[in-house]
Amino acid sequence: MLKKILTYCLCIIAAEHLLAQDIHFSNFYTNSLNVNPAETGFFTGQYRYCLAYRDQYRTVADPYQTFSANLDGKFTKRYWNYVIGYGILLNFDMAGDADYNTVQFGIPIAQHMNLMGNTIILSYGILPALHYNAFDYTNLSFQEQFNGIQYNPDQEISEDFVTNSKTYFDFSGGLQLSYKQSKTQTYTIGFAAYNINQPNVSFYNEETVRLRTRFLLHGNAIIDVTSNIDVIPGFKMQFQGKQHEFHFGGMGLFNIENSSVSQIQTGLWFRSKNKDAVIFGIGCRYMDFDIMLNYDLNISSLRNASNGHGAFEITVSYITEQHNKSKRRTAIRCPHSL
């Protein structure tokens, strides 16, 4: 019990000096608006809807749970050589015994320009957003509540919290370039910068506690191997202060004719941050819904506490066809999200 109490105290003290980090998802293929604002409106169709849920570290402590809901659409005219994308992004994250939660609400906007006869698409976007952070310190244990013999949760503490919630404005932006080499090969690379304004996230109004800028580089290739098989290798690299993440792997898509399940999707990725995790993915396209399940198998030193368990993630996305067509085009064969 004493060890647990001291751990909580150390976490509270450390919180004054830590620079906060962003939430993240393992699925960076269909959860596009959480990858790059320049992805807004970058798909074949009229509207795109996406729901994602992630559950992490359940076997170690209270789980880190993250939920995302987003949608985006586009404005386009026949005589335009560009497309305007717009959307809404809502993220909610809860972690730890103190129920530390983050709510993010953003409105991404992007423009996609056709260059060289539609061979190249140049995209750029911005993401203005409001963030809300809060925690419940009544769920925490403090050293003052331990009298040397037993723990008394009703014992008053001298810790003075100025506030247990924080609201701030955050601004992000990104660029993306897509090159269609042939009918069977498309290459995409993008760069995004999050928290460009480095907002103050301190519950004590300490100016040094800032949400550092996060830089993200991502890319993929869409290769039609046969008429029924596509391969999509991809990568994502992130840097935020001293923290970094390298995420790479690929997906295989198997298309099925004349079936309610028109596509089977499998994937394997490796996330390297001190050999963090191997990520398995399996999914399908059922009745125009893309459903992807991911599981992070922990292979870092944390596996001794987690017994190898990591995170479970599910993503459901849906794209409506333009002009209310009942059957949408296979989205993977256009420059797809990554």
Side-chain angles (χ1 to χ4, degrees):
M1 176 63 72
L2 179 59
K3 183 177 180 181
K4 183 177 180 181
I5 296 172
L6 292 176
T7 300
Y8 283 141
C9 292
L10 289 173
C11 289
I12 291 296
I13 295 172
E16 275 299 276
H17 304 283
L18 288 177
L19 295 176
Q21 291 180 279
D22 288 336
I23 62 177
H24 77 281
F25 290 92
S26 290
N27 180 359
F28 57 95
Y29 277 74
T30 54
N31 195 355
S32 306
L33 298 192
N34 279 300
V35 175
N36 192 335
E39 290 270 10
T40 309
F42 190 68
F43 58 92
T44 298
Q46 184 59 50
Y47 298 103
R48 175 173 56 183
Y49 306 85
C50 181
L51 295 174
Y53 172 75
R54 179 178 176 87
D55 187 286
Q56 187 173 4
Y57 299 140
R58 182 170 288 274
T59 59
V60 179
D62 280 3
Y64 287 51
Q65 300 177 81
T66 307
F67 175 81
S68 180
N70 56 77
L71 65 91
D72 57 330
K74 61 183 71 174
F75 292 119
T76 183
K77 294 291 184 182
R78 183 173 300 177
Y79 52 84
W80 289 358
N81 69 337
Y82 62 89
V83 172
I84 300 295
Y86 59 91
I88 295 175
L89 173 63
L90 176 64
N91 290 328
F92 174 76
D93 182 73
M94 179 173 290
D97 289 339
D99 292 334
Y100 181 84
N101 61 79
T102 300
V103 180
Q104 303 173 351
F105 177 77
I107 302 177
I109 301 171
Q111 183 174 12
H112 312 282
M113 302 181 63
N114 295 315
L115 307 175
M116 297 179 61
N118 297 334
T119 301
I120 296 177
I121 300 177
L122 174 64
S123 306
Y124 53 91
I126 59 173
L127 176 62
L130 284 178
H131 290 212
Y132 172 82
N133 292 345
F135 71 98
D136 184 1
Y137 63 85
T138 61
N139 291 334
L140 296 177
S141 303
F142 297 86
Q143 186 176 14
E144 295 170 293
Q145 296 172 313
F146 184 74
N147 60 15
I149 300 176
Q150 63 181 5
Y151 169 69
N152 180 11
D154 297 323
Q155 176 67 37
E156 293 186 1
I157 60 173
S158 59
E159 186 74 33
D160 182 21
F161 293 98
V162 176
T163 180
N164 67 334
S165 64
K166 182 82 173 182
T167 302
Y168 54 90
F169 173 77
D170 184 62
F171 184 81
S172 308
L175 296 169
Q176 182 172 272
L177 189 68
S178 179
Y179 171 59
K180 188 173 183 179
Q181 182 177 0
S182 65
K183 292 182 178 180
T184 60
Q185 296 184 37
T186 301
Y187 301 90
T188 301
I189 189 167
F191 172 80
Y194 288 85
N195 320 315
I196 295 175
N197 57 319
Q198 296 194 9
N200 186 327
V201 295
S202 173
F203 292 107
Y204 290 84
N205 294 322
E206 292 286 342
E207 285 299 321
T208 58
V209 183
R210 296 276 175 174
L211 186 59
R212 282 191 166 179
T213 302
R214 172 168 58 98
F215 301 100
L216 187 152
L217 179 68
H218 64 96
N220 77 312
I222 302 174
I223 303 172
D224 299 348
V225 180
T226 68
S227 59
N228 295 321
I229 299 177
D230 300 333
V231 175
I232 311 180
F235 74 92
K236 181 179 70 172
M237 302 167 59
Q238 299 190 81
F239 305 90
Q240 188 173 22
K242 296 181 179 180
Q243 305 301 317
H244 61 269
E245 177 185 86
F246 303 98
H247 190 171
F248 55 89
M251 286 186 65
L253 309 178
F254 306 91
N255 301 296
I256 304 172
E257 299 292 339
N258 302 319
S259 173
S260 58
V261 179
S262 59
Q263 189 178 87
I264 300 296
Q265 307 159 356
T266 61
L268 179 66
W269 302 270
F270 177 68
R271 184 171 58 239
S272 175
K273 204 283 181 184
N274 298 324
K275 298 181 179 179
D276 186 26
V278 174
I279 304 167
F280 301 93
I282 186 169
C284 69
R285 177 169 298 155
Y286 174 73
M287 300 293 289
D288 285 346
F289 288 89
D290 284 306
I291 305 170
M292 174 62 70
L293 303 177
N294 292 96
Y295 186 78
D296 297 17
L297 181 64
N298 183 257
I299 59 174
S300 69
S301 56
L302 186 62
R303 68 181 181 272
N304 296 325
S306 68
N307 294 321
H309 298 290
F312 168 79
E313 188 173 310
I314 180 171
T315 309
V316 180
S317 60
Y318 177 77
I319 297 176
T320 63
E321 185 60 76
Q322 293 177 341
H323 308 304
N324 296 320
K325 293 180 181 179
S326 59
K327 185 177 181 180
R328 67 185 175 102
R329 188 182 308 171
T330 303
I332 241 5
R333 295 190 179 276
C334 73
H336 198 268
S337 353
L338 179 66

